[in-house]
Coordinates of all heavy atoms in Angstrom, one line a residue:
W52 N -7.6 -4.5 5.7 CA -6.4 -5.1 6.4 C -5.2 -4.1 6.3 O -5.0 -3.6 5.2 CB -6.0 -6.4 5.7 CG -4.8 -7.1 6.4 CD1 -3.5 -7.0 6.0 CD2 -4.8 -7.9 7.6 NE1 -2.7 -7.7 6.8 CE2 -3.5 -8.2 7.8 CE3 -5.8 -8.3 8.4 CZ2 -3.1 -9.0 8.9 CZ3 -5.5 -9.1 9.5 CH2 -4.1 -9.4 9.8
P53 N -4.5 -3.9 7.4 CA -3.3 -3.0 7.3 C -2.2 -3.8 6.6 O -1.6 -4.7 7.1 CB -2.9 -2.8 8.8 CG -3.6 -3.8 9.5 CD -4.7 -4.4 8.7
M54 N -1.9 -3.4 5.3 CA -1.1 -4.2 4.4 C 0.4 -4.2 4.8 O 1.2 -5.0 4.2 CB -1.3 -3.7 3.0 CG -2.7 -4.1 2.5 SD -2.9 -3.8 0.7 CE -3.0 -2.1 0.7
H55 N 0.8 -3.3 5.7 CA 2.2 -3.5 6.1 C 2.4 -4.7 7.0 O 3.5 -5.1 7.3 CB 2.7 -2.2 6.8 CG 1.8 -1.7 7.9 ND1 0.6 -1.2 7.7 CD2 2.0 -1.8 9.3 CE1 0.0 -0.9 8.9 NE2 0.9 -1.3 9.9
W56 N 1.3 -5.3 7.4 CA 1.4 -6.6 8.2 C 1.3 -7.7 7.2 O 0.2 -8.2 6.9 CB 0.2 -6.7 9.2 CG 0.4 -5.7 10.3 CD1 1.4 -4.9 10.7 CD2 -0.6 -5.5 11.3 NE1 1.1 -4.2 11.8 CE2 -0.1 -4.5 12.2 CE3 -1.9 -5.9 11.5 CZ2 -0.8 -4.0 13.3 CZ3 -2.6 -5.5 12.6 CH2 -2.1 -4.5 13.5
G57 N 2.4 -8.0 6.6 CA 2.4 -9.2 5.7 C 2.3 -8.9 4.2 O 2.3 -9.8 3.4
G58 N 2.0 -7.6 3.9 CA 1.9 -7.2 2.5 C 3.3 -7.5 1.7 O 4.3 -7.3 2.4
K59 N 3.2 -7.8 0.5 CA 4.4 -8.1 -0.3 C 4.3 -7.4 -1.7 O 3.2 -7.2 -2.2 CB 4.5 -9.6 -0.5 CG 4.6 -10.5 0.7 CD 5.5 -11.6 0.5 CE 5.7 -12.5 1.8 NZ 6.0 -11.9 3.0
I60 N 5.5 -7.2 -2.2 CA 5.6 -6.7 -3.6 C 5.9 -7.9 -4.4 O 6.9 -8.6 -4.2 CB 6.7 -5.7 -3.7 CG1 6.5 -4.5 -2.8 CG2 6.8 -5.2 -5.2 CD1 5.3 -3.7 -3.1
K61 N 5.0 -8.3 -5.3 CA 5.2 -9.4 -6.2 C 4.9 -9.0 -7.6 O 3.8 -8.5 -7.9 CB 4.3 -10.6 -5.7 CG 4.6 -11.9 -6.5 CD 4.9 -13.0 -5.5 CE 5.5 -14.2 -6.2 NZ 4.6 -14.9 -7.0
D62 N 5.8 -9.3 -8.5 CA 5.6 -9.0 -10.0 C 5.3 -7.5 -10.1 O 4.5 -7.1 -10.9 CB 4.5 -9.8 -10.6 CG 4.8 -11.3 -10.6 OD1 6.0 -11.6 -10.6 OD2 3.9 -12.1 -10.4
G63 N 5.9 -6.7 -9.3 CA 5.7 -5.2 -9.3 C 4.5 -4.7 -8.7 O 4.2 -3.5 -8.8
C64 N 3.6 -5.6 -8.1 CA 2.4 -5.1 -7.5 C 2.4 -5.3 -6.0 O 3.1 -6.2 -5.5 CB 1.2 -5.9 -8.1 SG 0.8 -5.5 -9.8
L65 N 1.6 -4.5 -5.3 CA 1.5 -4.7 -3.9 C 0.4 -5.7 -3.6 O -0.7 -5.6 -4.1 CB 1.1 -3.3 -3.2 CG 0.6 -3.4 -1.8 CD1 1.8 -3.8 -0.9 CD2 0.1 -2.0 -1.4
R66 N 0.7 -6.7 -2.8 CA -0.3 -7.8 -2.6 C -0.7 -7.8 -1.1 O 0.1 -7.9 -0.2 CB 0.2 -9.2 -2.9 CG -0.7 -10.3 -2.5 CD -0.2 -11.6 -3.0 NE -0.5 -11.7 -4.4 CZ 0.1 -12.6 -5.2 NH1 0.8 -13.5 -4.7 NH2 -0.2 -12.6 -6.5
C67 N -2.0 -7.7 -0.9 CA -2.5 -7.8 0.5 C -2.5 -9.3 0.9 O -2.9 -10.2 0.2 CB -4.0 -7.3 0.5 SG -4.7 -7.5 2.2
P68 N -2.0 -9.6 2.1 CA -1.9 -11.0 2.5 C -3.2 -11.7 2.9 O -3.3 -12.9 2.9 CB -1.0 -10.9 3.8 CG -1.3 -9.6 4.4 CD -1.5 -8.7 3.2
L69 N -4.2 -10.9 3.1 CA -5.5 -11.5 3.6 C -6.2 -12.3 2.5 O -6.5 -13.5 2.6 CB -6.4 -10.5 4.2 CG -7.3 -11.0 5.3 CD1 -6.6 -11.8 6.4 CD2 -8.1 -9.8 6.0
H70 N -6.6 -11.6 1.4 CA -7.3 -12.3 0.4 C -6.7 -12.1 -1.0 O -7.3 -12.3 -2.0 CB -8.8 -11.8 0.3 CG -9.5 -11.8 1.6 ND1 -9.8 -10.7 2.3 CD2 -9.8 -12.9 2.4 CE1 -10.4 -11.0 3.5 NE2 -10.4 -12.3 3.6
Q71 N -5.4 -11.6 -1.0 CA -4.5 -11.6 -2.1 C -4.9 -10.5 -3.2 O -4.5 -10.6 -4.3 CB -4.5 -13.0 -2.8 CG -4.3 -14.2 -1.9 CD -3.0 -14.2 -1.1 OE1 -2.0 -14.0 -1.7 NE2 -3.1 -14.3 0.2
T72 N -5.7 -9.5 -2.8 CA -5.9 -8.4 -3.7 C -4.6 -7.8 -4.0 O -3.7 -7.6 -3.2 CB -6.8 -7.4 -3.1 OG1 -8.2 -8.0 -3.0 CG2 -6.9 -6.1 -3.9
T73 N -4.4 -7.4 -5.3 CA -3.1 -6.8 -5.7 C -3.4 -5.4 -6.3 O -4.4 -5.2 -7.0 CB -2.3 -7.6 -6.7 OG1 -3.1 -8.0 -7.8 CG2 -1.8 -8.9 -6.0
Y74 N -2.5 -4.5 -6.1 CA -2.6 -3.1 -6.6 C -1.4 -2.7 -7.4 O -0.3 -3.1 -7.0 CB -2.8 -2.1 -5.4 CG -3.9 -2.4 -4.5 CD1 -3.8 -3.2 -3.4 CD2 -5.2 -1.8 -4.8 CE1 -4.9 -3.4 -2.5 CE2 -6.3 -2.0 -3.9 CZ -6.1 -2.9 -2.8 OH -7.1 -3.1 -2.0
H75 N -1.6 -1.8 -8.4 CA -0.4 -1.3 -9.1 C 0.1 -0.1 -8.3 O -0.7 0.9 -8.0 CB -0.9 -0.7 -10.5 CG -1.4 -1.8 -11.4 ND1 -0.5 -2.7 -12.0 CD2 -2.6 -2.2 -11.8 CE1 -1.2 -3.5 -12.7 NE2 -2.5 -3.2 -12.6
P76 N 1.4 -0.1 -7.9 CA 1.9 0.9 -7.0 C 1.9 2.3 -7.7 O 1.8 3.3 -7.1 CB 3.4 0.5 -6.8 CG 3.3 -1.0 -6.9 CD 2.3 -1.2 -8.0
G77 N 2.0 2.3 -9.1 CA 2.1 3.6 -9.8 C 0.9 4.5 -9.5 O 1.0 5.7 -9.3
D78 N -0.3 3.9 -9.6 CA -1.5 4.7 -9.4 C -2.5 4.2 -8.4 O -3.6 4.7 -8.2 CB -2.2 4.9 -10.8 CG -2.6 3.6 -11.4 OD1 -2.5 2.5 -10.8 OD2 -3.2 3.6 -12.5
G79 N -2.2 3.1 -7.8 CA -3.1 2.5 -6.8 C -4.2 1.7 -7.4 O -5.1 1.2 -6.6
S80 N -4.3 1.6 -8.7 CA -5.4 0.8 -9.3 C -5.3 -0.7 -9.0 O -4.3 -1.2 -8.7 CB -5.4 1.0 -10.8 OG -4.2 0.5 -11.4
V81 N -6.5 -1.3 -9.0 CA -6.6 -2.7 -8.7 C -6.0 -3.5 -9.9 O -6.4 -3.3 -11.0 CB -8.0 -3.1 -8.4 CG1 -8.2 -4.6 -8.2 CG2 -8.5 -2.4 -7.2
N82 N -5.2 -4.5 -9.5 CA -4.7 -5.4 -10.5 C -5.5 -6.7 -10.5 O -6.0 -7.2 -11.5 CB -3.2 -5.8 -10.2 CG -2.6 -6.8 -11.2 OD1 -2.7 -6.6 -12.4 ND2 -2.1 -7.9 -10.7
E83 N -5.8 -7.2 -9.3 CA -6.7 -8.4 -9.1 C -7.4 -8.2 -7.8 O -6.8 -7.8 -6.7 CB -5.8 -9.6 -9.1 CG -6.5 -10.9 -9.3 CD -5.6 -12.1 -9.4 OE1 -4.4 -12.0 -9.0 OE2 -6.1 -13.1 -9.9
W84 N -8.7 -8.4 -7.8 CA -9.5 -8.2 -6.6 C -9.9 -9.5 -5.9 O -10.6 -10.3 -6.4 CB -10.8 -7.4 -7.0 CG -11.7 -7.0 -5.9 CD1 -12.9 -7.4 -5.6 CD2 -11.4 -5.9 -5.0 NE1 -13.4 -6.7 -4.5 CE2 -12.5 -5.8 -4.2 CE3 -10.4 -5.0 -4.9 CZ2 -12.6 -4.8 -3.2 CZ3 -10.4 -4.0 -3.9 CH2 -11.5 -3.9 -3.0
S85 N -9.4 -9.7 -4.7 CA -9.7 -10.8 -3.8 C -9.8 -12.1 -4.5 O -10.8 -12.8 -4.4 CB -11.1 -10.5 -3.1 OG -11.4 -11.5 -2.2
P86 N -8.7 -12.6 -5.1 CA -8.8 -13.9 -5.7 C -8.6 -15.0 -4.6 O -9.0 -16.2 -4.9 CB -7.6 -13.9 -6.7 CG -6.6 -13.0 -6.0 CD -7.4 -11.9 -5.4
A87 N -8.0 -14.7 -3.5 CA -7.7 -15.7 -2.4 C -7.3 -17.0 -3.1 O -8.0 -18.0 -3.0 CB -9.0 -15.9 -1.5
H88 N -6.1 -17.0 -3.6 CA -5.5 -18.1 -4.4 C -5.7 -19.5 -3.9 O -6.0 -20.4 -4.6 CB -4.0 -17.9 -4.7 CG -3.8 -16.7 -5.5 ND1 -4.2 -16.6 -6.8 CD2 -3.1 -15.5 -5.2 CE1 -3.8 -15.4 -7.3 NE2 -3.2 -14.7 -6.4
Y89 N -5.6 -19.6 -2.6 CA -5.7 -21.0 -2.0 C -7.1 -21.5 -2.0 O -7.4 -22.7 -2.0 CB -5.0 -21.0 -0.7 CG -3.6 -20.5 -0.7 CD1 -3.3 -19.3 -0.1 CD2 -2.7 -21.1 -1.5 CE1 -2.0 -18.8 -0.2 CE2 -1.4 -20.7 -1.6 CZ -1.0 -19.5 -0.9 OH 0.2 -19.0 -1.0
F90 N -8.1 -20.6 -1.9 CA -9.5 -21.0 -1.8 C -10.3 -20.1 -2.8 O -11.0 -19.2 -2.4 CB -10.1 -20.8 -0.4 CG -9.3 -21.5 0.6 CD1 -8.4 -20.8 1.5 CD2 -9.4 -22.9 0.8 CE1 -7.7 -21.5 2.4 CE2 -8.6 -23.6 1.8 CZ -7.8 -22.8 2.6
P91 N -10.2 -20.4 -4.1 CA -10.7 -19.5 -5.1 C -12.2 -19.2 -4.9 O -12.6 -18.0 -5.1 CB -10.5 -20.2 -6.4 CG -9.3 -21.1 -6.1 CD -9.4 -21.5 -4.7
A92 N -13.0 -20.2 -4.6 CA -14.5 -19.9 -4.4 C -14.7 -18.9 -3.3 O -15.5 -18.0 -3.3 CB -15.2 -21.2 -4.1
Y93 N -13.9 -19.1 -2.2 CA -14.0 -18.2 -1.0 C -13.6 -16.8 -1.4 O -14.3 -15.8 -1.1 CB -13.1 -18.8 0.0 CG -12.8 -18.0 1.2 CD1 -13.8 -17.8 2.2 CD2 -11.6 -17.3 1.5 CE1 -13.6 -17.1 3.4 CE2 -11.4 -16.6 2.6 CZ -12.4 -16.5 3.5 OH -12.1 -15.8 4.7
G94 N -12.6 -16.7 -2.2 CA -12.1 -15.4 -2.7 C -13.2 -14.7 -3.6 O -13.4 -13.5 -3.4
R95 N -13.8 -15.5 -4.5 CA -14.9 -14.9 -5.3 C -16.0 -14.4 -4.5 O -16.6 -13.3 -4.7 CB -15.3 -15.9 -6.3 CG -14.4 -16.0 -7.6 CD -15.1 -16.7 -8.7 NE -15.4 -18.1 -8.3 CZ -14.6 -19.1 -8.4 NH1 -13.4 -18.9 -8.9 NH2 -14.9 -20.3 -8.1
F96 N -16.4 -15.2 -3.5 CA -17.5 -14.8 -2.6 C -17.1 -13.5 -1.8 O -17.9 -12.5 -1.8 CB -17.8 -15.9 -1.6 CG -18.7 -15.4 -0.5 CD1 -20.1 -15.2 -0.7 CD2 -18.2 -15.2 0.8 CE1 -20.9 -14.8 0.3 CE2 -19.0 -14.8 1.8 CZ -20.4 -14.6 1.6
L97 N -15.9 -13.4 -1.2 CA -15.5 -12.2 -0.5 C -15.4 -11.0 -1.4 O -15.7 -9.9 -1.0 CB -14.2 -12.5 0.2 CG -14.3 -13.4 1.4 CD1 -12.9 -13.6 2.0 CD2 -15.2 -12.8 2.5
G98 N -14.9 -11.3 -2.6 CA -14.7 -10.2 -3.6 C -16.0 -9.5 -3.9 O -16.0 -8.3 -4.2
K99 N -17.1 -10.2 -3.8 CA -18.4 -9.6 -4.2 C -19.0 -8.7 -3.0 O -19.9 -8.0 -3.2 CB -19.4 -10.6 -4.6 CG -19.0 -11.2 -5.9 CD -20.0 -12.3 -6.4 CE -19.6 -12.7 -7.8 NZ -20.0 -14.0 -8.1
L100 N -18.4 -8.8 -1.9 CA -18.9 -8.0 -0.7 C -18.6 -6.6 -0.9 O -19.3 -5.7 -0.3 CB -18.3 -8.6 0.6 CG -18.6 -10.0 1.0 CD1 -17.9 -10.4 2.2 CD2 -20.1 -10.1 1.2
R101 N -17.5 -6.2 -1.6 CA -17.1 -4.8 -1.8 C -16.8 -4.6 -3.3 O -16.2 -5.5 -3.9 CB -15.8 -4.5 -1.0 CG -15.9 -4.7 0.5 CD -16.4 -3.5 1.3 NE -16.0 -2.2 1.0 CZ -15.1 -1.4 1.6 NH1 -14.4 -1.9 2.6 NH2 -15.0 -0.2 1.3
T102 N -17.1 -3.4 -3.8 CA -16.7 -3.1 -5.1 C -15.3 -2.8 -5.2 O -14.7 -2.0 -4.4 CB -17.5 -1.8 -5.6 OG1 -18.9 -2.1 -5.3 CG2 -17.3 -1.5 -7.0
P103 N -14.6 -3.3 -6.2 CA -13.1 -3.0 -6.4 C -12.9 -1.5 -6.4 O -13.6 -0.7 -7.1 CB -12.7 -3.6 -7.7 CG -13.7 -4.7 -7.9 CD -15.0 -4.2 -7.3
S104 N -11.9 -1.0 -5.7 CA -11.6 0.4 -5.7 C -10.1 0.6 -5.5 O -9.5 -0.2 -4.8 CB -12.4 1.2 -4.7 OG -12.2 0.7 -3.4
S105 N -9.6 1.7 -6.0 CA -8.1 1.9 -6.0 C -7.7 2.4 -4.6 O -8.4 3.0 -3.8 CB -7.8 3.0 -7.0 OG -8.1 2.6 -8.3
L106 N -6.4 2.2 -4.4 CA -5.8 2.7 -3.2 C -5.5 4.2 -3.3 O -5.2 4.6 -4.4 CB -4.4 2.0 -3.0 CG -4.2 0.8 -2.2 CD1 -2.7 0.4 -2.1 CD2 -4.8 0.9 -0.8
K107 N -5.7 4.9 -2.2 CA -5.3 6.3 -2.2 C -3.7 6.4 -2.2 O -3.1 5.8 -1.3 CB -5.9 7.0 -1.0 CG -5.3 8.4 -0.7 CD -5.7 9.4 -1.7 CE -5.1 10.8 -1.3 NZ -5.0 11.6 -2.4
M108 N -3.2 7.0 -3.2 CA -1.7 7.2 -3.3 C -1.3 8.6 -2.8 O -2.0 9.5 -3.0 CB -1.2 6.9 -4.7 CG -1.6 5.5 -5.2 SD -1.0 4.1 -4.3 CE 0.7 4.2 -4.6
Y109 N -0.1 8.6 -2.3 CA 0.5 9.9 -1.9 C 1.9 10.1 -2.5 O 2.6 9.1 -2.8 CB 0.7 10.0 -0.4 CG -0.6 9.8 0.4 CD1 -0.9 8.7 1.0 CD2 -1.5 10.9 0.5 CE1 -2.1 8.5 1.7 CE2 -2.7 10.8 1.2 CZ -3.0 9.6 1.8 OH -4.2 9.5 2.5
D110 N 2.3 11.3 -2.7 CA 3.7 11.6 -3.2 C 4.7 11.2 -2.1 O 4.4 11.4 -0.9 CB 3.9 13.1 -3.5 CG 3.1 13.5 -4.7 OD1 2.7 12.6 -5.5 OD2 2.9 14.7 -4.8
V111 N 5.8 10.6 -2.5 CA 6.8 10.3 -1.5 C 8.2 10.8 -2.1 O 8.3 11.0 -3.3 CB 6.9 8.7 -1.3 CG1 5.8 8.2 -0.5 CG2 7.1 8.0 -2.6
R112 N 9.1 10.9 -1.2 CA 10.5 11.3 -1.6 C 11.5 10.7 -0.6 O 11.1 10.4 0.5 CB 10.6 12.8 -1.7 CG 10.6 13.5 -0.3 CD 10.8 15.0 -0.5 NE 10.8 15.6 0.9 CZ 11.0 16.9 1.1 NH1 11.1 17.7 0.0 NH2 11.1 17.4 2.3
E113 N 12.7 10.7 -1.0 CA 13.8 10.4 -0.1 C 14.5 11.7 0.2 O 14.9 12.4 -0.8 CB 14.7 9.3 -0.6 CG 14.1 8.0 -0.7 CD 15.0 6.9 -1.2 OE1 15.3 6.8 -2.4 OE2 15.5 6.1 -0.3
H114 N 14.7 12.0 1.5 CA 15.3 13.3 1.8 C 16.0 13.2 3.1 O 15.5 12.7 4.1 CB 14.1 14.4 2.0 CG 14.6 15.7 2.3 ND1 15.2 16.6 1.4 CD2 14.5 16.4 3.4 CE1 15.4 17.7 1.9 NE2 15.1 17.7 3.2
D115 N 17.3 13.6 3.1 CA 18.1 13.6 4.3 C 18.2 12.2 5.0 O 18.1 12.0 6.2 CB 17.6 14.6 5.4 CG 18.1 16.0 5.1 OD1 19.0 16.2 4.2 OD2 17.5 16.9 5.7
G116 N 18.1 11.1 4.1 CA 18.2 9.8 4.6 C 16.9 9.2 5.1 O 16.9 8.1 5.6
Y117 N 15.8 9.8 4.8 CA 14.5 9.3 5.2 C 13.6 9.2 4.0 O 13.7 10.0 3.1 CB 13.9 10.3 6.3 CG 14.5 10.1 7.6 CD1 15.6 10.9 8.0 CD2 14.0 9.2 8.6 CE1 16.2 10.8 9.2 CE2 14.6 9.1 9.8 CZ 15.7 9.9 10.1 OH 16.3 9.7 11.4
V118 N 12.6 8.3 4.1 CA 11.5 8.3 3.2 C 10.4 9.1 3.8 O 10.0 8.9 5.0 CB 11.0 6.8 3.0 CG1 9.8 6.8 2.1 CG2 12.1 5.9 2.4
E119 N 10.0 10.1 3.0 CA 8.9 11.0 3.5 C 7.7 10.9 2.6 O 7.8 10.6 1.4 CB 9.5 12.4 3.5 CG 10.6 12.6 4.5 CD 11.2 14.0 4.5 OE1 11.0 14.8 3.5 OE2 11.8 14.4 5.5
I120 N 6.6 11.2 3.2 CA 5.3 11.1 2.5 C 4.6 12.5 2.6 O 4.7 13.1 3.7 CB 4.5 10.0 3.0 CG1 3.3 9.6 2.1 CG2 4.0 10.2 4.4 CD1 2.7 8.3 2.3
D121 N 3.9 12.9 1.6 CA 3.1 14.1 1.6 C 1.6 13.8 1.6 O 1.1 13.4 0.6 CB 3.5 15.0 0.4 CG 2.6 16.2 0.2 OD1 2.0 16.6 1.2 OD2 2.6 16.7 -0.9
L122 N 1.0 14.0 2.8 CA -0.4 13.6 2.9 C -1.3 14.7 2.3 O -2.5 14.5 2.1 CB -0.8 13.5 4.4 CG -0.1 12.3 5.1 CD1 -0.6 12.2 6.5 CD2 -0.3 11.0 4.4
N123 N -0.7 15.8 1.8 CA -1.5 16.8 1.1 C -1.6 16.5 -0.4 O -2.3 17.2 -1.1 CB -0.9 18.2 1.3 CG -1.3 18.8 2.6 OD1 -2.1 18.2 3.3 ND2 -0.6 19.9 3.0
S124 N -0.9 15.5 -0.8 CA -0.9 15.2 -2.3 C -2.1 14.4 -2.7 O -2.8 13.8 -1.9 CB 0.4 14.5 -2.7 OG 0.5 13.3 -2.0

Side-chain angles (χ1 to χ4, degrees):
W52 181 263
M54 291 188 285
H55 53 289
W56 292 350
K59 300 215 179 312
I60 304 295
K61 185 123 193 297
D62 299 328
C64 288
L65 170 63
R66 173 174 288 166
C67 177
L69 207 53
H70 311 112
Q71 316 297 309
T72 291
T73 55
Y74 302 92
H75 295 287
D78 62 2
S80 62
V81 173
N82 178 53
E83 196 173 17
W84 187 250
S85 183
H88 292 297
Y89 305 115
F90 305 103
Y93 173 72
R95 278 194 298 276
F96 168 74
L97 287 177
K99 289 180 177 159
L100 296 177
R101 303 268 325 253
T102 306
S104 57
S105 300
L106 268 183
K107 168 70 178 153
M108 302 301 292
Y109 299 104
D110 291 342
V111 291
R112 70 178 184 181
E113 291 185 283
H114 182 73
D115 282 344
Y117 285 86
V118 176
E119 296 180 337
I120 194 163
D121 174 17
L122 295 182
N123 282 349
S124 57

